[in-house]
Amino acid sequence: MDYNYSDLQKMLLDTAERFLRSHYTLEHRRALRKSPDGLDADAWAQFAELGWLALAIPEEQGGLDGEITDIAVLMTAFGANLVPDPIVSTAVTAPYLLSHADQPDSDLFEAIISGEARVALAHDEPGERYAYSAPRKTLLSKTGNGYTISGEKQLVIDAPSATHLIVTAQIEGSGDFALALVPATQKEVSAYSYNLIDSARASDVKFNKAEATAVLLTGPKASSVFGEAIDRTSIAYGAQAVGSMESALQICSAYIKERQQFGQPIGKFQALQHIMADMFVATHQARSALYQALAQVDAPERDRQRAVSLAKITIGEASQLVSKQGIQLHGGYGLTDEYEISHHYRRLTAIEKLYGDIDHHVRRIGAMTQTA
Amino acid sequence: MDLKFDASLADFRTMIRDAIKQDLPREIQERTRLFGGANSSDPHDSLAWMKILSKRGWTVPHWPEIYGGKNWSPLQLFIFQEELYKAYAPDTCWGGTHMVGPIIYTFGSEAQKEQFLPAIRNGDYYWAQGFSEPGSGSDLASLRTAAVRKGDKYIVNGQKIWTSCAYMSEWGFFLVRTDPEVKPQRGISFLLINMKSPGITIRRIPQINEEAELCEVFLDDVEVPAEQLVGEEGQGWSYAKFLLDHERTTSSFIYFNKRELDRAKMIATEETLDGVPLILHPNFQGRIARLEAEISALEGSVMRLLANEEFKYNETAVASILKVSGSKLQQALTELHVDLIGPKAIRHYASESVDRDPYDPWPDHIPGRTSQALILRASTIYGGSLQVQKNIIAKLAFGL
Ligand SMILES: Cc1cc2nc3c(=O)[nH]c(=O)nc-3n(C[C@H](O)[C@H](O)[C@H](O)COP(=O)(O)OP(=O)(O)OC[C@H]3O[C@@H](n4cnc5c(N)ncnc54)[C@H](O)[C@@H]3O)c2cc1C
């Protein structure tokens, strides 16, 4: 066992920290909220330049063939700097799904790597909540020389800036589960877009006989690859959460040393020291939980799911403790948009709700315990 | 002992409920339902609603009768507030009706009573509370905004922060330092300042929920007529403390907490998981039941204080119990709303979008819930932070 970063990972993290910290200042991120699709095009070009968009893509497709641990390392830096850009969808979820497709599409990989294409996953349907194995109402239909897709998706994370959508559907006729690739810019795809509390973006998307340019996977293989992709996505977000918490620790410890009340730094009050200590414990445990899950990413389904759910629970609870107490330590300043700590709270709250909240993962573990 | 809620009050409750139902305009109710908080309604709605309530003489029922109060019993006042909250009526301008009003009728001059009490009663304009400063939050007594007497005026210089709704307030009540030489608490005075005075600059502070009700107030050689001093110079601190003693049960936010529990149950009925309403799922049932238990106990604690039980422990420490429990409940309930809504809770809704986008397909129990949960991180910060409350309890209940 070796829990230390490899030299390569150190370099990756170092570069990421340097670029992200200087680029994603608080003011810059606040300004980005007003951009139409949430994309920071300059930064995205840098992501391409630095090879981050190629990290999860296999070598034979021109990628860097990085391990999930490398991706997690990079994601901690994204979390630490509260980057709202659609990195997880395009650089983690999509590469996994696309590279497991029956016929991988080299052109699309190239476009992702160069920064031209961004891919979002459209799965949730109206009225649903983390229904990752329920049948879709969205239908994929065979037409003369191809496929069309019809249906409605809700809360498609990162959709506004996406050039392509990977859409989950049932195949008309056979009823098989399928993953289809749908170009986002066609008039048969209409989106209702909005900001999220952490300044990321999402859309509700309607497909009205939209063209699907490829059917990536179908049947049981589609289901299992989809489950694997969701768990990897959860891990990527979990790593972002760990990065965000670790940042919050720094910010808060510095703040309570600096802030004076009653003629002394508030960090001298034991009540606050104990809060800080609780945050320290939770953050450390969260990183440990992340590692536990990373270790099981390629394990058999049940072991993988259990480890990911356990990590999501630990990280979710730690996130809430750390960021809420972080605000408490800041007093009124914690409630403003002008101090970092409130942004960490919003980001961590959003992450907790993505791809299964604590309740969802508690139930997933509960179901496994029952059938053990 | 007689622990039952006085049954003869049922008629009173019906009377109040019917009146609110008749009077409360639909749009105001709707805005309050979506974005109204605990003592933090849309300030324009507060004033509009006060105009309506004042026709019944109900804006300040808790005041002494000679100043326009209703002479209702503590339990009647409780019912009145509870019904207002339940109906999603906005708050009155709290700074006026519950803070500066009582200070003025208790310590103010006849001229001040004449000038301000009717205006407060009628909701003529909004009041800002200018106590906190950038360097003086929990340690309020260290405040530095200085008021120097020059002839028949005070010249005020300094800065306030977190001054809710200052940008739309006509008047503010301020704690200022008039004597830098004496013990900090003794050198503070209570001044009424017109917010449109030359030398006042206001900046709205963008908040965690992307609203901006909090403000910074900069005072630069602001001239304040000396007759706007309330009571005596150097007594400002004791007046501010009087306020706290005067409003011991408010900090429980019991009306808000009860209403938000009902809302949680409503959301849990609307939201489903695998086709089953969340209210039937054990995880959520458990959370709702636990909160209901705590709210019920809190209501009991409020009643004990209202009914003047003779406590074994220092009464200020007992009042802190209400703040500790009530402030944590506000957070737990609004977080529960967020968790009930689940993934959809991460969408940002601004309060100006209350007049909803007609194309927005999302159900109407969602807008405002996350915004409220975010801003209510403040409930354990303002009005004496959670840590400060616990310090009070340790000291006053146990002499630690
Ligand atoms: C939404 C909101 C509305 C407000 N409205 C108004 C208003 O209208 N007018 C107004 O004047 N003010 C208002 N306030 C200000 C409020 O009263 C202050 O925020 C509060 O007094 C805390 O002060 P602070 O923010 O400076 O935090 P600080 O006092 O700096 O506290 C920071 C942290 O230190 C802790 N701490 C401080 N002292 C101790 C101690 N002795 N022991 C242990 N821990 C300690 C606190 O608990 C907190 O966790 C408002 C605040 C908010 C958030």
Side-chain angles (χ1 to χ4, degrees), chain B residues 78-113:
Chain B
F78 182 95
I79 290 170
F80 178 62
Q81 280 299 333
E82 186 177 23
E83 290 300 323
L84 285 170
Y85 262 84
K86 213 185 263 178
Y88 290 111
D91 291 298
T92 55
C93 165
W94 209 254
T97 56
H98 287 69
M99 301 178 98
V100 73
I103 298 257
I104 290 176
Y105 67 64
T106 312
F107 304 106
S109 65
E110 286 310 315
Q112 287 167 348
K113 290 183 202 173

mmCIF file of all heavy atoms in Angstrom, chain B residues 78-113:
data_model
loop_
_atom_site.group_PDB
_atom_site.id
_atom_site.type_symbol
_atom_site.label_atom_id
_atom_site.label_comp_id
_atom_site.label_asym_id
_atom_site.label_seq_id
_atom_site.Cartn_x
_atom_site.Cartn_y
_atom_site.Cartn_z
ATOM 1 N N PHE B 78 -49.975 35.316 21.624
ATOM 2 C CA PHE B 78 -49.374 34.109 21.053
ATOM 3 C C PHE B 78 -50.230 33.587 19.892
ATOM 4 O O PHE B 78 -49.734 33.314 18.794
ATOM 5 C CB PHE B 78 -49.245 33.044 22.151
ATOM 6 C CG PHE B 78 -48.590 31.769 21.698
ATOM 7 C CD1 PHE B 78 -47.231 31.568 21.871
ATOM 8 C CD2 PHE B 78 -49.337 30.754 21.090
ATOM 9 C CE1 PHE B 78 -46.618 30.392 21.452
ATOM 10 C CE2 PHE B 78 -48.743 29.581 20.673
ATOM 11 C CZ PHE B 78 -47.374 29.400 20.850
ATOM 12 N N ILE B 79 -51.524 33.494 20.164
ATOM 13 C CA ILE B 79 -52.439 32.992 19.128
ATOM 14 C C ILE B 79 -52.418 33.904 17.902
ATOM 15 O O ILE B 79 -52.393 33.444 16.756
ATOM 16 C CB ILE B 79 -53.874 32.887 19.692
ATOM 17 C CG1 ILE B 79 -53.925 31.751 20.711
ATOM 18 C CG2 ILE B 79 -54.905 32.688 18.585
ATOM 19 C CD1 ILE B 79 -55.215 31.699 21.497
ATOM 20 N N PHE B 80 -52.407 35.186 18.158
ATOM 21 C CA PHE B 80 -52.404 36.162 17.065
ATOM 22 C C PHE B 80 -51.199 35.941 16.144
ATOM 23 O O PHE B 80 -51.340 35.798 14.926
ATOM 24 C CB PHE B 80 -52.386 37.574 17.667
ATOM 25 C CG PHE B 80 -52.327 38.682 16.649
ATOM 26 C CD1 PHE B 80 -53.348 38.862 15.713
ATOM 27 C CD2 PHE B 80 -51.246 39.570 16.634
ATOM 28 C CE1 PHE B 80 -53.282 39.901 14.784
ATOM 29 C CE2 PHE B 80 -51.180 40.605 15.711
ATOM 30 C CZ PHE B 80 -52.200 40.767 14.788
ATOM 31 N N GLN B 81 -50.036 35.858 16.737
ATOM 32 C CA GLN B 81 -48.826 35.654 15.935
ATOM 33 C C GLN B 81 -48.847 34.298 15.234
ATOM 34 O O GLN B 81 -48.442 34.165 14.083
ATOM 35 C CB GLN B 81 -47.572 35.731 16.811
ATOM 36 C CG GLN B 81 -47.105 37.129 17.142
ATOM 37 C CD GLN B 81 -46.732 37.949 15.915
ATOM 38 O OE1 GLN B 81 -46.335 37.410 14.887
ATOM 39 N NE2 GLN B 81 -46.898 39.259 16.001
ATOM 40 N N GLU B 82 -49.300 33.307 15.946
ATOM 41 C CA GLU B 82 -49.326 31.968 15.371
ATOM 42 C C GLU B 82 -50.223 31.935 14.128
ATOM 43 O O GLU B 82 -49.871 31.364 13.091
ATOM 44 C CB GLU B 82 -49.829 30.978 16.414
ATOM 45 C CG GLU B 82 -49.754 29.550 15.932
ATOM 46 C CD GLU B 82 -50.193 28.556 16.998
ATOM 47 O OE1 GLU B 82 -50.936 28.935 17.919
ATOM 48 O OE2 GLU B 82 -49.790 27.394 16.875
ATOM 49 N N GLU B 83 -51.362 32.587 14.230
ATOM 50 C CA GLU B 83 -52.296 32.609 13.096
ATOM 51 C C GLU B 83 -51.731 33.416 11.933
ATOM 52 O O GLU B 83 -51.929 33.060 10.776
ATOM 53 C CB GLU B 83 -53.661 33.150 13.523
ATOM 54 C CG GLU B 83 -54.442 32.198 14.439
ATOM 55 C CD GLU B 83 -54.734 30.848 13.777
ATOM 56 O OE1 GLU B 83 -54.994 30.820 12.558
ATOM 57 O OE2 GLU B 83 -54.676 29.816 14.489
ATOM 58 N N LEU B 84 -51.045 34.489 12.235
ATOM 59 C CA LEU B 84 -50.426 35.279 11.163
ATOM 60 C C LEU B 84 -49.430 34.424 10.387
ATOM 61 O O LEU B 84 -49.434 34.392 9.161
ATOM 62 C CB LEU B 84 -49.708 36.506 11.738
ATOM 63 C CG LEU B 84 -50.589 37.664 12.196
ATOM 64 C CD1 LEU B 84 -49.750 38.685 12.965
ATOM 65 C CD2 LEU B 84 -51.254 38.343 10.998
ATOM 66 N N TYR B 85 -48.597 33.743 11.141
ATOM 67 C CA TYR B 85 -47.596 32.900 10.482
ATOM 68 C C TYR B 85 -48.249 31.783 9.684
ATOM 69 O O TYR B 85 -47.890 31.510 8.548
ATOM 70 C CB TYR B 85 -46.598 32.342 11.502
ATOM 71 C CG TYR B 85 -45.339 33.170 11.530
ATOM 72 C CD1 TYR B 85 -45.272 34.320 12.295
ATOM 73 C CD2 TYR B 85 -44.247 32.832 10.758
ATOM 74 C CE1 TYR B 85 -44.135 35.103 12.289
ATOM 75 C CE2 TYR B 85 -43.110 33.605 10.746
ATOM 76 C CZ TYR B 85 -43.055 34.745 11.518
ATOM 77 O OH TYR B 85 -41.925 35.525 11.502
ATOM 78 N N LYS B 86 -49.217 31.141 10.314
ATOM 79 C CA LYS B 86 -49.870 30.021 9.649
ATOM 80 C C LYS B 86 -50.470 30.446 8.312
ATOM 81 O O LYS B 86 -50.457 29.702 7.341
ATOM 82 C CB LYS B 86 -50.973 29.490 10.572
ATOM 83 C CG LYS B 86 -51.179 28.001 10.457
ATOM 84 C CD LYS B 86 -52.362 27.547 11.291
ATOM 85 C CE LYS B 86 -51.911 27.017 12.636
ATOM 86 N NZ LYS B 86 -53.054 26.619 13.488
ATOM 87 N N ALA B 87 -50.975 31.674 8.259
ATOM 88 C CA ALA B 87 -51.628 32.163 7.038
ATOM 89 C C ALA B 87 -50.626 32.720 6.029
ATOM 90 O O ALA B 87 -51.016 33.218 4.979
ATOM 91 C CB ALA B 87 -52.638 33.240 7.406
ATOM 92 N N TYR B 88 -49.330 32.648 6.341
ATOM 93 C CA TYR B 88 -48.304 33.259 5.492
ATOM 94 C C TYR B 88 -48.554 34.747 5.321
ATOM 95 O O TYR B 88 -48.460 35.296 4.222
ATOM 96 C CB TYR B 88 -48.219 32.574 4.122
ATOM 97 C CG TYR B 88 -47.645 31.173 4.195
ATOM 98 C CD1 TYR B 88 -48.442 30.062 3.959
ATOM 99 C CD2 TYR B 88 -46.304 30.981 4.497
ATOM 100 C CE1 TYR B 88 -47.916 28.775 4.031
ATOM 101 C CE2 TYR B 88 -45.780 29.705 4.568
ATOM 102 C CZ TYR B 88 -46.574 28.601 4.329
ATOM 103 O OH TYR B 88 -46.047 27.341 4.402
ATOM 104 N N ALA B 89 -48.864 35.393 6.433
ATOM 105 C CA ALA B 89 -48.912 36.859 6.423
ATOM 106 C C ALA B 89 -47.492 37.345 6.676
ATOM 107 O O ALA B 89 -46.722 36.694 7.373
ATOM 108 C CB ALA B 89 -49.828 37.355 7.526
ATOM 109 N N PRO B 90 -47.125 38.506 6.107
ATOM 110 C CA PRO B 90 -45.775 39.019 6.371
ATOM 111 C C PRO B 90 -45.663 39.487 7.820
ATOM 112 O O PRO B 90 -46.669 39.743 8.467
ATOM 113 C CB PRO B 90 -45.648 40.208 5.420
ATOM 114 C CG PRO B 90 -46.915 40.322 4.669
ATOM 115 C CD PRO B 90 -47.916 39.387 5.249
ATOM 116 N N ASP B 91 -44.438 39.608 8.289
ATOM 117 C CA ASP B 91 -44.225 40.232 9.589
ATOM 118 C C ASP B 91 -44.494 41.720 9.468
ATOM 119 O O ASP B 91 -44.420 42.288 8.385
ATOM 120 C CB ASP B 91 -42.762 40.054 10.016
ATOM 121 C CG ASP B 91 -42.456 38.622 10.334
ATOM 122 O OD1 ASP B 91 -43.077 38.091 11.266
ATOM 123 O OD2 ASP B 91 -41.603 38.037 9.641
ATOM 124 N N THR B 92 -44.734 42.325 10.629
ATOM 125 C CA THR B 92 -44.701 43.780 10.638
ATOM 126 C C THR B 92 -43.236 44.182 10.535
ATOM 127 O O THR B 92 -42.354 43.336 10.602
ATOM 128 C CB THR B 92 -45.280 44.305 11.959
ATOM 129 O OG1 THR B 92 -44.558 43.707 13.030
ATOM 130 C CG2 THR B 92 -46.761 43.952 12.063
ATOM 131 N N CYS B 93 -42.989 45.481 10.381
ATOM 132 C CA CYS B 93 -41.599 45.938 10.401
ATOM 133 C C CYS B 93 -41.111 45.793 11.835
ATOM 134 O O CYS B 93 -41.406 46.594 12.703
ATOM 135 C CB CYS B 93 -41.490 47.390 9.942
ATOM 136 S SG CYS B 93 -39.900 48.113 10.356
ATOM 137 N N TRP B 94 -40.407 44.705 12.063
ATOM 138 C CA TRP B 94 -40.046 44.286 13.424
ATOM 139 C C TRP B 94 -39.231 45.352 14.160
ATOM 140 O O TRP B 94 -39.423 45.608 15.346
ATOM 141 C CB TRP B 94 -39.245 42.985 13.307
ATOM 142 C CG TRP B 94 -39.377 42.098 14.486
ATOM 143 C CD1 TRP B 94 -38.424 41.890 15.440
ATOM 144 C CD2 TRP B 94 -40.510 41.289 14.852
ATOM 145 N NE1 TRP B 94 -38.901 41.002 16.371
ATOM 146 C CE2 TRP B 94 -40.164 40.620 16.035
ATOM 147 C CE3 TRP B 94 -41.776 41.083 14.285
ATOM 148 C CZ2 TRP B 94 -41.038 39.743 16.680
ATOM 149 C CZ3 TRP B 94 -42.644 40.206 14.916
ATOM 150 C CH2 TRP B 94 -42.275 39.556 16.099
ATOM 151 N N GLY B 95 -38.303 45.974 13.431
ATOM 152 C CA GLY B 95 -37.478 47.020 14.036
ATOM 153 C C GLY B 95 -38.327 48.132 14.626
ATOM 154 O O GLY B 95 -38.004 48.698 15.673
ATOM 155 N N GLY B 96 -39.440 48.442 13.962
ATOM 156 C CA GLY B 96 -40.344 49.471 14.456
ATOM 157 C C GLY B 96 -41.228 48.960 15.579
ATOM 158 O O GLY B 96 -41.210 49.464 16.698
ATOM 159 N N THR B 97 -41.999 47.907 15.276
ATOM 160 C CA THR B 97 -43.043 47.490 16.221
ATOM 161 C C THR B 97 -42.490 46.779 17.450
ATOM 162 O O THR B 97 -43.085 46.846 18.525
ATOM 163 C CB THR B 97 -44.048 46.544 15.536
ATOM 164 O OG1 THR B 97 -43.325 45.429 14.982
ATOM 165 C CG2 THR B 97 -44.811 47.252 14.431
ATOM 166 N N HIS B 98 -41.371 46.094 17.306
ATOM 167 C CA HIS B 98 -40.883 45.300 18.432
ATOM 168 C C HIS B 98 -39.582 45.805 19.044
ATOM 169 O O HIS B 98 -39.162 45.328 20.076
ATOM 170 C CB HIS B 98 -40.729 43.832 18.021
ATOM 171 C CG HIS B 98 -42.054 43.145 17.875
ATOM 172 N ND1 HIS B 98 -42.929 43.448 16.866
ATOM 173 C CD2 HIS B 98 -42.666 42.203 18.648
ATOM 174 C CE1 HIS B 98 -44.027 42.701 17.009
ATOM 175 N NE2 HIS B 98 -43.892 41.945 18.079
ATOM 176 N N MET B 99 -38.934 46.740 18.370
ATOM 177 C CA MET B 99 -37.664 47.204 18.930
ATOM 178 C C MET B 99 -37.720 48.679 19.293
ATOM 179 O O MET B 99 -37.794 49.035 20.457
ATOM 180 C CB MET B 99 -36.526 46.893 17.964
ATOM 181 C CG MET B 99 -36.431 45.384 17.697
ATOM 182 S SD MET B 99 -35.155 44.924 16.533
ATOM 183 C CE MET B 99 -33.888 44.448 17.653
ATOM 184 N N VAL B 100 -37.716 49.539 18.271
ATOM 185 C CA VAL B 100 -37.604 50.957 18.612
ATOM 186 C C VAL B 100 -38.898 51.482 19.242
ATOM 187 O O VAL B 100 -38.866 52.341 20.122
ATOM 188 C CB VAL B 100 -37.158 51.803 17.394
ATOM 189 C CG1 VAL B 100 -38.260 51.967 16.383
ATOM 190 C CG2 VAL B 100 -36.623 53.146 17.842
ATOM 191 N N GLY B 101 -40.041 50.940 18.833
ATOM 192 C CA GLY B 101 -41.318 51.396 19.404
ATOM 193 C C GLY B 101 -41.325 51.294 20.928
ATOM 194 O O GLY B 101 -41.481 52.316 21.631
ATOM 195 N N PRO B 102 -41.143 50.076 21.449
ATOM 196 C CA PRO B 102 -41.118 49.933 22.910
ATOM 197 C C PRO B 102 -40.044 50.790 23.590
ATOM 198 O O PRO B 102 -40.257 51.292 24.691
ATOM 199 C CB PRO B 102 -40.818 48.444 23.103
ATOM 200 C CG PRO B 102 -41.382 47.793 21.877
ATOM 201 C CD PRO B 102 -41.172 48.775 20.767
ATOM 202 N N ILE B 103 -38.903 50.990 22.918
ATOM 203 C CA ILE B 103 -37.869 51.845 23.512
ATOM 204 C C ILE B 103 -38.391 53.282 23.604
ATOM 205 O O ILE B 103 -38.221 53.950 24.610
ATOM 206 C CB ILE B 103 -36.583 51.830 22.639
ATOM 207 C CG1 ILE B 103 -36.008 50.424 22.572
ATOM 208 C CG2 ILE B 103 -35.582 52.851 23.138
ATOM 209 C CD1 ILE B 103 -34.816 50.164 23.416
ATOM 210 N N ILE B 104 -39.036 53.720 22.526
ATOM 211 C CA ILE B 104 -39.501 55.108 22.533
ATOM 212 C C ILE B 104 -40.599 55.304 23.577
ATOM 213 O O ILE B 104 -40.556 56.259 24.349
ATOM 214 C CB ILE B 104 -39.987 55.531 21.123
ATOM 215 C CG1 ILE B 104 -38.788 55.650 20.172
ATOM 216 C CG2 ILE B 104 -40.742 56.855 21.187
ATOM 217 C CD1 ILE B 104 -39.145 55.969 18.724
ATOM 218 N N TYR B 105 -41.574 54.389 23.645
ATOM 219 C CA TYR B 105 -42.621 54.669 24.633
ATOM 220 C C TYR B 105 -42.156 54.458 26.064
ATOM 221 O O TYR B 105 -42.731 54.976 27.000
ATOM 222 C CB TYR B 105 -43.954 53.969 24.310
ATOM 223 C CG TYR B 105 -44.019 52.453 24.385
ATOM 224 C CD1 TYR B 105 -43.837 51.764 25.591
ATOM 225 C CD2 TYR B 105 -44.364 51.708 23.253
ATOM 226 C CE1 TYR B 105 -43.939 50.383 25.651
ATOM 227 C CE2 TYR B 105 -44.469 50.314 23.303
ATOM 228 C CZ TYR B 105 -44.256 49.663 24.505
ATOM 229 O OH TYR B 105 -44.367 48.297 24.576
ATOM 230 N N THR B 106 -41.079 53.737 26.254
ATOM 231 C CA THR B 106 -40.574 53.543 27.620
ATOM 232 C C THR B 106 -39.578 54.631 28.019
ATOM 233 O O THR B 106 -39.610 55.131 29.140
ATOM 234 C CB THR B 106 -39.890 52.166 27.748
ATOM 235 O OG1 THR B 106 -40.746 51.174 27.194
ATOM 236 C CG2 THR B 106 -39.614 51.833 29.213
ATOM 237 N N PHE B 107 -38.701 55.007 27.103
ATOM 238 C CA PHE B 107 -37.621 55.928 27.492
ATOM 239 C C PHE B 107 -37.642 57.253 26.731
ATOM 240 O O PHE B 107 -36.899 58.164 27.062
ATOM 241 C CB PHE B 107 -36.256 55.264 27.251
ATOM 242 C CG PHE B 107 -36.092 53.951 27.951
ATOM 243 C CD1 PHE B 107 -36.141 52.755 27.242
ATOM 244 C CD2 PHE B 107 -35.906 53.908 29.329
ATOM 245 C CE1 PHE B 107 -35.984 51.535 27.891
ATOM 246 C CE2 PHE B 107 -35.760 52.690 29.981
ATOM 247 C CZ PHE B 107 -35.802 51.496 29.263
ATOM 248 N N GLY B 108 -38.459 57.359 25.678
ATOM 249 C CA GLY B 108 -38.385 58.528 24.806
ATOM 250 C C GLY B 108 -39.086 59.754 25.374
ATOM 251 O O GLY B 108 -39.841 59.677 26.350
ATOM 252 N N SER B 109 -38.848 60.894 24.727
ATOM 253 C CA SER B 109 -39.482 62.152 25.127
ATOM 254 C C SER B 109 -40.908 62.185 24.584
ATOM 255 O O SER B 109 -41.259 61.415 23.682
ATOM 256 C CB SER B 109 -38.693 63.321 24.539
ATOM 257 O OG SER B 109 -38.789 63.285 23.117
ATOM 258 N N GLU B 110 -41.699 63.110 25.097
ATOM 259 C CA GLU B 110 -43.076 63.267 24.597
ATOM 260 C C GLU B 110 -43.057 63.586 23.110
ATOM 261 O O GLU B 110 -43.859 63.061 22.334
ATOM 262 C CB GLU B 110 -43.822 64.365 25.356
ATOM 263 C CG GLU B 110 -44.236 63.960 26.773
ATOM 264 C CD GLU B 110 -44.956 62.603 26.839
ATOM 265 O OE1 GLU B 110 -45.847 62.359 26.007
ATOM 266 O OE2 GLU B 110 -44.573 61.775 27.708
ATOM 267 N N ALA B 111 -42.130 64.453 22.713
ATOM 268 C CA ALA B 111 -42.050 64.836 21.293
ATOM 269 C C ALA B 111 -41.741 63.614 20.430
ATOM 270 O O ALA B 111 -42.323 63.435 19.354
ATOM 271 C CB ALA B 111 -40.977 65.904 21.099
ATOM 272 N N GLN B 112 -40.836 62.763 20.907
ATOM 273 C CA GLN B 112 -40.506 61.545 20.141
ATOM 274 C C GLN B 112 -41.716 60.621 20.053
ATOM 275 O O GLN B 112 -41.999 60.049 18.994
ATOM 276 C CB GLN B 112 -39.327 60.816 20.798
ATOM 277 C CG GLN B 112 -38.002 61.537 20.594
ATOM 278 C CD GLN B 112 -36.888 61.006 21.478
ATOM 279 O OE1 GLN B 112 -37.135 60.234 22.411
ATOM 280 N NE2 GLN B 112 -35.675 61.432 21.207
ATOM 281 N N LYS B 113 -42.420 60.488 21.157
ATOM 282 C CA LYS B 113 -43.607 59.626 21.135
ATOM 283 C C LYS B 113 -44.602 60.138 20.100
ATOM 284 O O LYS B 113 -45.170 59.365 19.340
ATOM 285 C CB LYS B 113 -44.269 59.598 22.510
ATOM 286 C CG LYS B 113 -43.467 58.855 23.554
ATOM 287 C CD LYS B 113 -44.233 58.802 24.860
ATOM 288 C CE LYS B 113 -43.279 58.567 26.017
ATOM 289 N NZ LYS B 113 -43.922 58.674 27.321
#
